[in-house]
Amino acid sequence: MARTVLVVEDEPKILAVVRDYLVDAGFDVTTAADGRAALASARAVTPDLVVLDLGLPGLDGLDVARELQRRSPVPIIMLTARGSEVDRVVGLELGADDYLVKPFSPRELVARARAVLRRTAAGAGAGGAQEPFQVGDLEVDPGRRRVTVAGRPVELTATEFDLVAHLAGQPGRVFTRMQLLEVVHGVAVESYDRAVDAHVKNIRRKLEPDPHRPRYLLTVHGVGYRFAE
Ligand code: CA
């Protein structure tokens, strides 16, 4: 069954290229040129993934992302015009699952779209039937892609879940930012490694009783991160 991707972009050329590549890759594609149209389309087609330009006229990409996530969680790949916007995007409270800085390769976008959908689908089918495991009072259920702390469910984006599951799956083991990037993107891209820090910041805010004194997700200075044993 073809997955539906909603592409939101106000630049007609970029919109057309992205749409064509995604259609060629076998996706059903719906497009919108502004935020209001995007929200209406999302309601009508219930997309599996949203490719969302950050800089939209009127209702901007952040507003659209917030509203989409408020309705029901959907994976989002953000398109940003500048690398300097990346921190803003991944530092968001709701978090984008991935992002690309313009100009980007449409092939790369297709690869990212597949990767995000693979990750989010892993929990939906029987294929993702990994056993739940516990680290202290934190429980990770890979099959349902759910995390609870002391029985309290924690709302994580697909990317945040992947990082937590990976780190908590081997408590005490140190992972470099590049290794964690591979978890997220399937490939390490050096210039994006600060994105891992932003994801970690979001995860801590959601997971930790005191995000400034993390108990679970610990920093290994000069190296990366590890999960407390
Ligand atoms: Ca734009």
Side-chain angles (χ1 to χ4, degrees):
M1 202 178 70
R3 300 308 214 71
T4 302
V5 182
L6 169 61
V7 183
V8 188
E9 170 62 76
D10 60 314
E11 289 162 67
K13 275 185 188 164
I14 298 178
L15 182 64
V17 169
V18 167
R19 183 195 57 217
D20 291 351
Y21 269 81
L22 288 170
V23 167
D24 282 351
F27 293 105
D28 282 341
V29 180
T30 301
T31 62
D34 63 57
R36 303 224 174 269
L39 293 176
S41 294
R43 211 185 283 276
V45 303
T46 323
D48 298 294
L49 171 72
V50 179
V51 176
L52 181 59
D53 182 30
L54 182 63
L56 292 169
L59 202 59
D60 85 356
L62 296 188
D63 297 330
V64 174
R66 214 170 280 128
E67 178 60 21
L68 288 173
Q69 299 290 22
R70 200 184 57 77
R71 290 182 192 173
S72 72
V74 59
I76 295 175
I77 297 179
M78 279 277 189
L79 305 178
T80 78
R82 291 184 302 277
S84 58
E85 288 176 341
V86 166
D87 287 343
R88 232 179 110 213
V89 172
V90 293
L92 279 179
E93 187 171 327
L94 47 95
D97 289 285
D98 206 345
Y99 57 88
L100 285 165
V101 178
K102 296 176 184 176
F104 56 86
S105 134
R107 276 196 193 86
E108 178 67 19
L109 174 65
V110 169
R112 298 286 185 86
R114 287 197 172 119
V116 167
L117 285 169
R118 205 164 41 235
R119 297 202 314 261
T120 49
Q130 258 179 288
E131 290 300 304
F133 60 90
Q134 251 178 313
V135 186
D137 58 2
L138 178 127
E139 186 169 325
V140 180
D141 184 345
R144 296 190 173 83
R145 295 183 68 81
R146 276 209 302 243
V147 170
T148 57
V149 175
R152 175 182 63 90
V154 181
E155 295 293 330
L156 299 173
T157 68
T159 299
E160 289 162 7
F161 177 85
D162 288 331
L163 288 171
V164 169
H166 199 76
L167 284 154
Q170 297 176 70
R173 182 177 158 188
V174 178
F175 293 94
T176 65
R177 288 178 178 78
M178 294 300 275
Q179 285 169 328
L180 294 174
L181 261 184
E182 286 183 26
V183 172
V184 176
H185 289 147
V187 59
V189 185
E190 193 146 15
S191 58
Y192 289 168
D193 66 352
R194 66 190 166 145
V196 169
D197 298 344
H199 285 307
V200 164
K201 202 172 153 196
N202 281 344
I203 290 168
R204 280 179 174 153
R205 199 172 36 69
K206 295 176 177 182
L207 210 68
E208 302 279 357
D210 179 358
H212 298 292
R213 295 177 181 198
R215 275 171 48 193
Y216 301 100
L217 216 173
L218 309 177
T219 300
V220 182
H221 288 288
V223 185
Y225 296 98
R226 70 181 169 90
F227 211 85
E229 284 165 281

